[in-house]
Amino acid sequence: MGNSYQAAKKLEEEMKKKGDYQFEYVFLKDAHLETCRGCFNCVPRGIEFCPLKDDRQMIQDKMEEADGLIMVSPVYVMMVSTLLKNFIDRVAYLCHRPAYHGKKALVLCTTAGVGSKETLKYMETVTKSWGYRVTGKCGLVTAPWPATDGLKRKNQRNLEKSVENFDKSLKSVEKEKLNGVKVGFMDYMSFRIFQTVSLNVREYMPADYQFYQGKEYYQ
């Protein structure tokens, strides 16, 4: 297996030191996931109008069932892998109609040298737009030559810090269910902007209008 899988397994080991966590891996290379056609149907009309019928819904069902998401990708020229980018494109509608509010996410990437900052920023932006609260970010340098002791220590620190933050956020889920999730100002403003726009363009974006109609915040 590649560097990203090995990094994910190390993260799993660290997480299981913190609690009784269960992991399920979804490999996009093994999924039947056709290339996005860019037809745009999912955004204005709804995901049910996507002409591609494959494993996309199965993957989203697993995301819905899980309390947390760990998104992992190698860095390919300052960006996520082609496989992950295609999945992101396939669920473009989530950027308009977030489905995962209340859930936590950690983003993890591996690079031979550069690009982790840009890649993590993109992954964070995407998962936030889906509704997740990103509570961990980890970029690991996995060059194709033996790592120095200093690099090994740096990677381990990054991994442990991300795990600590992600673990705390997952353990706060029950407390949030009782007391409610605090809404950030920018999240609330984004919601209000989309809600207002959906009202004004309801003829052209009926799915957005139906999603936001009568809501005080994401439900």
Side-chain angles (χ1 to χ4, degrees):
M1 285 293 190
N3 291 326
S4 294
Y5 174 72
Q6 294 179 40
K9 292 299 291 184
K10 289 180 181 178
L11 189 144
E12 179 182 357
E13 291 174 8
E14 294 296 327
M15 287 293 295
K16 288 184 174 178
K17 293 177 183 178
K18 301 283 187 179
D20 184 23
Y21 291 110
Q22 295 181 347
F23 278 65
E24 181 177 1
Y25 288 76
V26 176
F27 298 96
L28 295 180
K29 69 180 181 64
D30 296 329
H32 174 213
L33 201 64
E34 297 185 39
T35 303
C36 180
R37 297 179 183 175
C39 67
F40 202 56
N41 280 342
C42 67
V43 177
R45 301 178 65 195
I47 189 61
E48 63 271 24
F49 291 95
C50 175
L52 306 177
K53 308 304 178 185
D54 49 25
D55 288 341
R56 176 202 53 78
Q57 187 60 56
M58 177 273 290
I59 296 171
Q60 287 193 254
D61 288 343
K62 292 183 181 295
M63 291 166 63
E64 179 63 36
E65 292 166 3
D67 292 324
L69 169 73
I70 299 175
M71 180 187 283
V72 184
S73 177
V75 174
Y76 284 5
V77 194
M78 317 296 280
M79 175 51 79
V80 298
S81 70
T82 302
L83 289 168
L84 181 54
K85 183 60 171 68
N86 181 52
F87 177 72
I88 291 170
D89 291 342
R90 287 291 307 279
V91 294
Y93 78 98
L94 290 175
C95 298
H96 278 239
R97 303 183 294 280
Y100 304 110
H101 277 276
K103 295 182 180 291
K104 310 299 191 300
L106 182 151
V107 292
L108 168 67
C109 74
T110 59
T111 177
V114 298
S116 62
K117 181 179 179 181
E118 294 82 359
T119 303
L120 288 175
K121 179 62 177 177
Y122 174 73
M123 295 168 77
E124 179 183 24
T125 300
V126 168
T127 47
K128 279 186 174 180
S129 72
W130 293 351
Y132 286 97
R133 182 176 298 180
V134 180
T135 56
K137 292 193 297 182
C138 185
L140 302 180
V141 178
T142 55
W145 49 78
T148 64
D149 290 340
L151 178 57
K152 290 179 181 178
R153 289 193 294 269
K154 181 178 179 181
N155 280 343
Q156 186 63 26
R157 286 196 300 270
N158 289 343
L159 191 67
E160 290 177 354
K161 181 179 179 181
S162 299
V163 164
E164 181 178 359
N165 291 337
F166 192 46
D167 169 62
K168 287 181 179 178
S169 69
L170 289 173
K171 288 176 178 174
S172 70
V173 170
E174 290 303 320
K175 184 178 179 180
E176 290 176 353
K177 287 180 180 178
L178 292 174
N179 302 323
V181 179
K182 292 183 178 179
V183 179
F185 176 75
M186 293 305 297
D187 289 335
Y188 185 72
M189 288 302 298
S190 175
F191 168 81
R192 284 303 185 192
I193 290 170
F194 267 101
Q195 188 177 52
T196 301
V197 171
S198 70
L199 180 64
N200 293 333
V201 297
R202 57 185 179 274
E203 181 180 349
Y204 309 100
M205 308 283 281
D208 277 10
Y209 175 69
Q210 292 170 13
F211 180 80
Y212 288 98
Q213 188 179 31
K215 288 187 177 179
E216 291 299 320
Y217 192 56
Y218 297 114
Q219 299 171 357

